[in-house]
């Protein structure tokens, strides 16, 4: 249900990451992407994985997010 909306959220997370404070990126956006990576729709999972990779560009201490 509402696959298009979940897809839009997945696509937006990586794009918006540079415009939000690091605290929001570290908690809210990362949490949203993690949930969408487990979505039932393949297209949503693919978009979430792609945007997760974009999100990683903004993390300076990756060992914290193992």
């Amino acid at each position: 249900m509402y696959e298009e909306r979940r897809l839009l959220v997945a696509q937006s997370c990586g794009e918006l990451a540079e415009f939000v404070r690091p605290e929001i990126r570290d908690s809210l956006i990362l949490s949203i992407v993690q949930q969408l990576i487990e979505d039932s729709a393949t297209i949503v999972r693919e978009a979430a994985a792609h945007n997760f990779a974009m999100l990683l560009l903004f993390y300076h201490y990756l060992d914290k997010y193992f």
Side-chain angles (χ1 to χ4, degrees):
M1 191 164 137
Y2 301 115
E3 180 179 309
E4 297 86 13
R5 291 181 184 178
R6 295 191 317 272
L7 178 60
L8 180 60
V9 171
Q11 292 171 335
S12 300
C13 284
E15 299 293 332
L16 297 174
E18 67 179 295
F19 301 107
V20 299
R21 294 188 324 258
E23 305 85 45
I24 301 295
R25 234 185 350 251
D26 293 354
S27 59
L28 180 62
I29 294 181
L30 180 61
S31 174
I32 292 170
V33 172
Q34 287 174 323
Q35 290 176 27
L36 290 170
I37 285 177
E38 298 175 4
D39 196 88
S40 60
T42 304
I43 193 165
V44 175
R45 289 193 312 264
E46 289 174 355
H50 175 76
N51 280 277
F52 180 69
M54 292 175 61
L55 198 58
L56 286 176
L57 297 173
F58 297 99
Y59 292 102
H60 301 290
Y61 305 104
L62 292 178
D63 56 334
K64 176 181 176 183
Y65 300 102
F66 177 73

